[in-house]
Amino acid sequence: MKQRPSFPAKLAPSAVKAVPVAPKPSGTPTLSALARPQGLGMDSVAVRMRMVELLRKQGVSDEAVLGAMGTVERHRFVDSALVNQAYEDTSLPIGLGQTISKPGVVARMLELLRNGASAPLGRVLEIGTGCGYQAAVLSKIAHEVYSVERLRGLHDKARENLRNLRVHNLHLLFGDGMLGYAKGAPYAGIIAAAGGEALPQQWIDQLAMGGRLVAPVAGQGPRGTGQCLLVLDKTPQGLRQVLLEAVHFVPLKSGLA
Ligand code: SAH
């Protein structure tokens, strides 16, 4: 039997094929250009639809992702003082030094994770629940979602945010996501919302054959700086990985707090 090439725990730059990122069309409107919704009583459907249209103009074309982002009420996942900015393409503080990712980045990563699939994904693991927003979007495009958070305060906050949404296929877990979550493995998809120096071996082990992992990774720039998006596919021929555009995620940390 042909042996699968082993995967370096630390990504050696030479092991990674950089591919050019398609430039964004000039004149692309930004979500910040959106009129701000007026307080909590806003017509959030209309403003979300405008967010979706702008995501489309920014190059997101996966209808399943756009549909999910059009459904999940992002303003329910941010502090009341920030509700007016909930549909702008910006990351926002969610407490304990963490942030909710920009809608544009969430859409981009979910589109990469789905990889044009014609059906919903099977089981998916998310590392970094944060406020629970991306987990809620994931629950619309996957059969089963496991989401791990290492900060008790945010795990509890996500539980609170999701309480009334009755998302039956989403499991929130308090734990160290660097270990993955073996009980739910193997996963059709793994997505990380925090970036580390290296990909934990457990993530790769817990990925199903044919599965895809999307995560920010650090240390590819000069003197180990910078962070960019990594897409890794587990194929019968071995692991295939591609580095994409620069991103800015909070650090992946080990242990619980
Ligand atoms: N998807 C989230 C984004 C949260 S930011 C949202 O929609 O709000 C990233 C999160 O990753 C932070 O909450 C941080 O605490 C968490 N994180 C960092 N390292 C982690 C680890 N090892 N295990 C689990 N969560 C981790």
Side-chain angles (χ1 to χ4, degrees):
M1 202 177 91
K2 214 173 146 198
Q3 238 196 331
R4 211 154 40 80
S6 64
F7 184 80
K10 167 103 179 130
L11 289 173
S14 59
V16 179
K17 195 174 132 241
V19 297
V21 186
K24 286 188 173 163
S26 59
T28 303
T30 63
L31 291 177
S32 330
L34 281 173
R36 292 186 174 195
Q38 296 306 307
L40 281 164
M42 65 190 175
D43 177 1
S44 75
V45 175
V47 79
R48 238 180 353 270
M49 285 308 122
R50 277 193 287 166
M51 176 185 82
V52 166
E53 283 321 303
L54 288 169
L55 290 172
R56 212 186 277 283
K57 287 190 180 119
Q58 288 180 0
V60 180
S61 60
D62 187 320
E63 293 300 331
V65 173
L66 292 167
M69 299 216 33
T71 311
V72 179
E73 299 181 324
R74 192 170 185 259
H75 67 275
R76 296 197 184 277
F77 293 83
V78 299
D79 283 354
S80 51
L82 298 170
V83 158
N84 282 355
Q85 295 171 63
Y87 296 102
E88 295 189 6
D89 196 16
T90 179
S91 54
L92 295 168
I94 53 173
L96 301 176
Q98 309 301 318
T99 51
I100 179 174
S101 311
K102 294 160 63 124
V105 170
V106 172
R108 167 79 167 140
M109 288 179 80
L110 296 186
E111 183 165 62
L112 287 167
L113 193 71
R114 276 188 29 82
N115 196 19
S118 52
L121 291 167
R123 276 199 304 278
V124 170
L125 173 67
E126 177 188 47
I127 293 98
T129 313
C131 65
Y133 171 71
Q134 181 173 274
V137 181
L138 268 170
S139 74
K140 307 270 179 214
I141 61 164
H143 283 302
E144 206 79 41
V145 179
Y146 294 85
S147 180
V148 193
E149 173 57 55
R150 66 178 283 276
L151 297 177
R152 170 64 81 179
L154 286 177
H155 169 76
D156 290 344
K157 191 182 241 184
R159 202 167 275 296
E160 187 60 37
N161 289 341
L162 289 157
R163 182 166 314 224
N164 297 323
L165 299 184
R166 291 192 289 275
V167 192
H168 300 297
N169 60 340
L170 170 56
H171 311 279
L172 297 183
L173 306 154
F174 174 55
D176 181 356
M178 284 184 83
L179 307 173
Y181 181 65
K183 284 188 188 152
Y187 299 101
I190 298 182
I191 183 164
E197 288 285 313
L199 280 188
Q201 184 61 42
Q202 283 93 336
W203 296 1
I204 294 159
D205 294 344
Q206 291 172 22
L207 194 61
M209 185 56 71
R212 174 170 270 206
L213 184 155
V214 181
V217 286
Q220 309 294 329
R223 292 191 305 280
T225 60
Q227 198 184 48
C228 55
L229 220 46
L230 172 89
V231 173
L232 179 143
D233 289 310
K234 198 176 204 175
T235 78
Q237 289 75 42
L239 300 172
R240 274 207 317 251
Q241 46 183 322
V242 184
L243 277 183
L244 300 169
E245 68 268 27
V247 283
H248 303 282
F249 280 84
V250 295
L252 181 70
K253 293 187 176 166
S254 61
L256 306 177

